[in-house]
Amino acid sequence: MGQCQEHKTRPQSQVEIQERGEIFFFYRPKVGKEEAHSSDDVQRLYLVLRPESSERSVEQKQDPESGKEGAKKEESDSVKHGSGSSEGGHGSMLVNIEKELLLRFIVMGRKSLPDPGKKSRPYWGFVEMVTTKVEDVKVALAGGHRRNSPARAVGEGVYRILRHSPGKKTHTHLIYKLEFPPEDKENETQESLNIEHEGSFLIQIKNPDQHGTSQFRGLQNKRKAVFPAHLQGQFGQKRYCPADPPDFLNYEGCEFLLISASDDIEEELGLELKTDEGEADESCSDLIKTFGETASTSALLRGTWV
């Protein structure tokens, strides 16, 4: 689906939309398990962001010859999660996200999102792959290793990355609203993974030049992103900075923190996301149209474990 309009419900709402797009959620059962029956059976949670428009129709992304994106087709292991030989994204090229497909394959460090409605510690994640080819994401979802089960689709919706200036300081949010499963369907799987029907998180980009902490050790140096000078310069000596612009996320090895903000976007930000939930049937799913039968859709459509 992906059709969504946002509108401010409070005139004084201090938000500016930086990027609009679709968000897809997947989980992979633990190694050796053919099915998952609870979050205890989950190995990884993945997010796939498909930006479709932004403040600037043209965004900057890594050089297509860098990172996993630049791996040769015959080196199939380089597009599967867990390849230790990959390098982070670097270099630069421009991509018009309103005309060209761009996909960000993101790995969460924990097996769930932070609960958007509760205060908790930040959750760490990183951009595993940036690509303009659907097939690359399909291969990553498939797993490949004979003991690795294919990923399962568990959520589809719309997202926004926005700039929020409630006072003197400005920060950035990643907000989303699900279209699948519909709100009136069972959602046991989504609840277990803290994928609420809608959620708002502060998103902070980690400085790749700063060492990790005991809480978030981060990626090995060779896997970290190497941002262009104008992006790297936004950190100064800080450990984190806002995702402003969202171009940071167009580099493999970009690390970030998600911090719970709210499970009610309108109440928190004075912004409402309106989706076409009345048309939520399987034929309307962009996830299914894009990735086909690569990932099981039982959790996506019926909210049940598989």
Side-chain angles (χ1 to χ4, degrees):
M1 291 168 64
Q3 300 300 313
C4 172
Q5 297 293 326
E6 76 276 342
H7 73 272
K8 294 181 179 181
T9 57
R10 294 197 298 265
Q12 72 276 21
S13 179
Q14 301 297 312
V15 297
E16 298 173 283
I17 303 297
Q18 298 170 275
E19 185 178 271
R20 301 172 176 86
E22 292 185 291
I23 186 169
F24 309 116
F25 299 89
F26 301 87
Y27 70 87
R28 190 188 306 283
K30 286 182 176 178
V31 173
K33 286 189 174 290
E34 293 186 3
E35 294 183 351
H37 300 284
S38 72
S39 58
D40 291 337
D41 297 330
V42 172
Q43 177 187 356
R44 286 289 190 188
L45 177 67
Y46 305 116
L47 282 61
V48 176
L49 298 184
R50 179 183 181 177
E52 295 178 316
S53 67
S54 67
E55 290 178 311
R56 300 167 292 111
S57 60
V58 175
E59 290 192 4
Q60 194 165 25
K61 66 176 287 292
Q62 67 186 33
D63 188 311
E65 299 301 317
S66 72
K68 295 183 186 301
E69 187 182 13
K72 295 180 181 178
K73 288 298 179 183
E74 61 265 30
E75 296 172 342
S76 59
D77 284 346
S78 65
V79 292
K80 296 169 187 170
H81 176 71
S83 172
S85 60
S86 63
E87 59 177 7
H90 55 80
S92 175
M93 73 168 289
L94 299 178
V95 57
N96 187 328
I97 61 173
E98 294 180 3
K99 296 181 179 180
E100 302 173 65
L101 177 71
L102 182 65
L103 297 168
R104 303 165 179 149
F105 186 79
I106 291 171
V107 177
M108 292 304 299
R110 301 181 70 170
K111 298 186 295 183
S112 71
L113 293 177
D115 186 336
K118 298 179 181 178
K119 289 186 177 181
S120 66
R121 290 183 176 182
Y123 278 32
W124 171 82
F126 67 96
V127 180
E128 169 80 359
M129 180 170 56
V130 176
T131 183
T132 57
K133 300 174 182 176
V134 172
E135 190 61 32
D136 290 344
V137 176
K138 286 184 176 182
V139 171
L141 293 171
H145 190 282
R146 60 188 177 86
R147 299 190 65 216
N148 244 355
S149 294
R152 276 70 160 155
V154 69
E156 172 183 343
V158 294
Y159 80 89
R160 301 289 187 266
I161 295 177
L162 56 85
R163 191 181 296 115
H164 185 210
S165 307
K168 292 182 178 180
K169 285 191 175 183
T170 298
H171 51 253
T172 49
H173 287 248
L174 169 64
I175 65 173
Y176 75 87
K177 187 171 185 177
L178 291 184
E179 295 169 306
F180 292 96
E183 194 168 12
D184 59 351
K185 297 290 185 181
E186 185 176 345
N187 62 350
E188 175 191 356
T189 313
Q190 290 74 20
E191 288 285 346
S192 298
L193 301 173
N194 288 335
I195 303 172
E196 300 292 341
H197 187 66
E198 63 178 62
S200 171
F201 305 94
L202 271 65
I203 180 169
Q204 296 182 341
I205 306 298
K206 184 178 181 296
N207 186 344
D209 288 350
Q210 294 271 2
H211 294 298
T213 64
S214 57
Q215 187 178 359
F216 306 109
R217 299 189 67 85
L219 297 174
Q220 295 176 347
N221 284 336
K222 67 179 181 180
R223 295 189 66 192
K224 292 181 179 180
V226 180
F227 297 122
H230 73 281
L231 291 179
Q232 183 62 39
Q234 294 190 204
F235 291 103
Q237 298 301 313
K238 295 179 293 185
R239 194 180 297 275
Y240 296 95
C241 78
D244 188 4
D247 303 42
F248 280 108
L249 298 169
N250 295 334
Y251 285 80
E252 293 175 11
C254 168
E255 301 174 87
F256 61 86
L257 296 181
L258 288 185
I259 304 168
S260 297
S262 178
D263 58 2
D264 188 329
I265 297 170
E266 182 179 3
E267 180 181 345
E268 181 208 9
L269 299 172
L271 188 74
E272 184 179 9
L273 297 180
K274 284 187 167 287
T275 59
D276 297 330
E277 294 185 69
E279 302 176 11
D281 63 74
E282 185 174 341
S283 64
C284 298
S285 168
D286 283 343
L287 185 152
I288 295 175
K289 292 176 185 176
T290 304
F291 303 109
E293 299 179 357
T294 304
S296 169
T297 57
S298 293
L300 174 74
L301 300 174
R302 292 180 284 280
T304 55
W305 287 104
V306 62

